[in-house]
């Protein structure tokens, strides 16, 4: 029984696993895209590439025609849904936009263009190599390149790396097994084997696949690298596409809003049907860095679609939906409830929002005109019995600067002595201690160490409002080693007819601490006077969805008067110039890597050629010339079987090269003499052998400057020819010995 008994159509048996290996890279994007619609597009790209290569591999002029037709159909009807005019611009910008979007990303055409093109190219190249070459590993090179591109594009974002790796390894091992058994090379010694050998081979291959899959699954569960936290992310090298022009920290604007008289309406909040969950505030910004004077944010905003990444620590949660209509709110920060998980706005929302997945802050990339509304779904932590026993996460917070006031140290030590080690108890006691202090909204603004010390002072000299108390709470929490930050936003007063009207009088700041299972838990150490008389809004609160207009569908960010003019954004409303400038950082690195690789190949081949030509032994010089000629054959894609003699190699090559093989035949005579009668060789024979090498080069590449000569010079395959030939000769010898003694 032979291997062909198992594969009646052996070519199809190789093409199918090769296509599966190419399609495995598409699985890496799992959870990188918000929905599974991308799989249909990438599967169509894989099928189109494989079919085009299979139908056109016999005719050189048919191959590019079918390739172009298949790629056009995939891009126009699969990626851009029939919009042919968007193909060129989408392909040109897809590489950048794929690296600047927040995961999970919507399946926009410009985001799918690059993955679809890579999957198509990998499948097309892999199937062509299956049908036109005999090397066992050659068809896997394009598939591996497509897989690596997917890993590069996803970076440290969530994805289906485990499933994709198992699928790629399984398909790759099947391809190697089939091609190794089928393509033993012409002229090799073929020994009839017993019928059990193919079955044994299948068992070995199956065991290898199972072991690889098991190792991948186990490694993916226990390896720290599997989490993606420590993986390289190219987004770290790119400039963020959303550039905020605000120079001041939002916390410094708190006092200004509270002093407005009468209060100015900012926005309205209408809770959805799931609004039974108690929500008493909305957040606009989160500040996590303190220099002793100012709290600022280190957020990096990426382009956001309708789906947003949820804090992985937020497990005890419930979704709450609300519609927010902006009226007089200025600045890029948008109100959200809890941790936002979904945003929906009127009309086209691509590029309308920016999002930082590390803080949960949402910004607008353009001006927020009155009447603009959007729906936000926020994940709110659920108060339960386990929260009292919860521990803070190990999220690293930036260290506090030196110079912590003595009043802060005294309060921190006093609260710590009265409570145990549970973070929840300590923080609740700290909140209660700060609530006993006087609330004095007439204190001057500021949240530096000096302002915090004044607020904690005793008597009439002490007291403060939310800005100082939120900062003091956060500083003490960080002194205890807890991850804490200052949140800025607005309180929600009792609703009127189901609508919360938010004004400047509701501006507020509070601390938040990150707990395992609950995310950012809010505390409120400020005792406010809720009995103050508030001026009613000038009109009844309304939530009216605005009609789509150029101002809402294609926002154009306007620079502040006190900031330098920003570059003109494109029609999406955010600065792709920043993305392009950041991408330029990668271009020189890639070019340098390519040049270094090419230089290494050229230098390695030249060094080996010089060593062979200057060998003091005449027979070694002749054999070196023979090896050089074999290297030239490898560059032309001709690899004679290792079991052939020198003269048989010359006859084998003549069928492929014709008259150009004459120098090889002449060198074969000298190489045979070098093996069996080396003492009869002299310097003249060695020089003649190397002259034949020069003649072969002239026959293969008549022009001194040509693309074929340049391609041959950069071809790295001859560098591992010796290793490959030795391995093939060893395997041939083992097969011969096996057949001899059975």
């Amino acid at each position: 029984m032979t291997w062909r008994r198992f594969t009646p159509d052996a070519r199809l048996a190789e093409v199918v696993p090769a296509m599966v290996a190419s399609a495995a890279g598409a699985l890496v994007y799992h959870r990188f895209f918000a929905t599974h619609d991308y799989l249909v597009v990438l599967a169509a790209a894989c099928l189109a590439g494989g079919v085009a290569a299979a139908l056109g591999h016999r005719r050189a002029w048919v191959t590019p025609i079918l390739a172009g037709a298949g790629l056009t159909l995939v891009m126009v009807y699969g990626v851009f849904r029939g919009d042919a005019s968007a193909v060129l611009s989408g392909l040109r910008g897809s590489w950048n936009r794929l690296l600047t979007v927040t995961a999970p990303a919507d399946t926009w055409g410009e985001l799918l263009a690059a993955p679809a093109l890579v999957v198509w190219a990998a499948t097309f190249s892999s199937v062509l190599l299956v049908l036109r070459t005999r090397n066992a590993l050659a068809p896997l090179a394009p598939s591996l390149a497509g897989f690596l591109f997917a890993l590069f594009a996803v970076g440290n974002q969530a994805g289906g790396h485990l499933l994709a790796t198992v699928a790629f390894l399984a398909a790759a091992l099947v391809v190697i097994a089939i091609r190794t058994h089928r393509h033993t090379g012409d002229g090799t010694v073929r020994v009839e084997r017993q019928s059990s050998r193919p079955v044994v081979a299948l068992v070995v291959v199956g065991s290898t696949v199972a072991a690889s899959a098991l190792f991948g699954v186990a490694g993916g569960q226990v390896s720290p690298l599997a989490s993606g936290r420590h993986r390289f992310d190219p987004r770290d090298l790119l400039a963020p596409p959303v550039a905020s022009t605000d120079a001041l920290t939002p916390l410094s604007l708190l006092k200004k809003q509270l002093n407005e008289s009468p209060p100015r309406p900012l926005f309205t909040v209408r809770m959805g049907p799931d609004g039974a969950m108690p929500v008493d505030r909305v957040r606009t910004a989160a500040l996590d860095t303190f220099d002793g004077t100012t709290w600022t944010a280190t957020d990096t905003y990426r382009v956001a679609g309708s789906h947003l990444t949820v804090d992985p620590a937020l497990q005890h949660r419930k979704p709450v939906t609300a519609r927010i209509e902006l009226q007089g709110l200025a600045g890029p920060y948008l109100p959200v409830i809890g941790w936002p998980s979904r945003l929906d706005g009127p009309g086209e929302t691509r590029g309308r929002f920016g999002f930082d997945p590390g803080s949960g802050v949402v910004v607008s990339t353009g001006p927020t005109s009155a009447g603009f509304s959007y729906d936000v779904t926020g994940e709110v932590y659920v108060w339960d019995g386990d929260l009292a026993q919860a521990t803070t996460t190990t999220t690293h917070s930036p260290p506090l600067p030196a110079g912590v006031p003595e009043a802060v140290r005294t309060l921190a030590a006093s609260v710590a002595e009265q409570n145990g080690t549970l973070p929840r108890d300590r923080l609740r006691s700290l909140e209660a201690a700060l609530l006993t202090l006087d609330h004095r909204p007439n204190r001057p603004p500021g949240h530096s160490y000096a302002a915090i010390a004044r607020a904690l002072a005793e008597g009439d000299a002490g007291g403060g409002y939310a800005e100082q108390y939120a900062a003091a709470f956060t500083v003490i929490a960080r002194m205890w080693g807890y991850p804490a930050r200052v949140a800025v936003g607005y309180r929600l007063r009792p609703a009127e007819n189901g609508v919360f009207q938010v004004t400047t009088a509701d501006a507020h700041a509070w601390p938040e601490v990150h707990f395992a299972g609950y995310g950012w838990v809010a505390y409120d150490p400020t005792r406010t006077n809720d009995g103050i008389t508030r001026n009613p809004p000038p009109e009844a609160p309304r939530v009216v969805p605005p009609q789509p207009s150029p101002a809402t569908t294609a926002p154009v960010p306007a620079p502040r008067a006190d900031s330098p003019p920003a570059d003109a954004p494109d029609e999406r409303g955010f600065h792709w110039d920043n993305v392009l400038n950041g991408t330029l950082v990668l271009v020189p690195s890639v070019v340098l890597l390519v040049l270094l690789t090419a230089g290494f190949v050229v230098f390695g081949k030249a060094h080996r050629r010089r060593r062979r030509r200057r060998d003091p032994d005449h027979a070694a010089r002749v054999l070196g010339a023979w090896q050089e000629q074999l290297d030239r054959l490898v560059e032309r894609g001709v690899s004679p079987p290792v079991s052939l003699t020198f003269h048989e190699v010359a006859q084998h090559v003549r069928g492929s090269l014709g008259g150009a093989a004459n120098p090889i035949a002449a060198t074969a005579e000298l190489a045979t003499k070098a093996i069996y009668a080396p003492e009869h060789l002299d310097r003249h024979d060695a020089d003649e052998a190397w002259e034949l090498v020069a003649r072969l080069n002239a026959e293969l590449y008549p022009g001194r400057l040509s693309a074929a000569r340049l391609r041959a010079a950069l071809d790295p395959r001859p560098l591992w020819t010796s290793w490959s030939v030795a391995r093939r000769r060893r395997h041939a010898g083992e097969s011969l010995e096996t057949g001899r003694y059975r």
Side-chain angles (χ1 to χ4, degrees), residues 636-729:
R636 291 294 293 264
V638 180
S639 182
V642 297
S643 58
L644 301 183
T645 65
F646 295 119
H647 292 286
E648 288 173 340
V649 169
Q651 292 297 327
H652 177 84
V653 173
R654 189 178 297 276
S656 302
L657 302 181
N662 292 333
I664 298 178
T667 309
E669 183 69 28
L670 294 174
T672 304
K673 189 176 180 180
I675 293 293
Y676 296 103
E679 67 276 2
H680 295 293
L681 291 175
D682 55 15
R683 181 176 181 180
H684 174 75
D685 295 326
D687 293 340
E688 181 182 357
W690 282 96
E691 290 177 1
L692 292 172
V693 173
R695 283 179 52 191
L696 178 63
N697 289 335
E699 293 286 346
L700 295 178
Y701 312 106
R704 295 185 60 85
L705 295 177
S706 63
R709 181 182 287 271
L710 178 60
R711 185 169 59 250
L714 299 177
D715 194 333
R717 287 179 293 179
L719 292 178
W720 57 75
T721 298
S722 301
W723 171 83
S724 177
V725 170
R727 182 180 59 85
R728 290 160 58 194
R729 183 176 289 113

Side-chain angles (χ1 to χ4, degrees), residues 550-561:
T552 60
T553 59
V556 179
R560 291 171 56 94

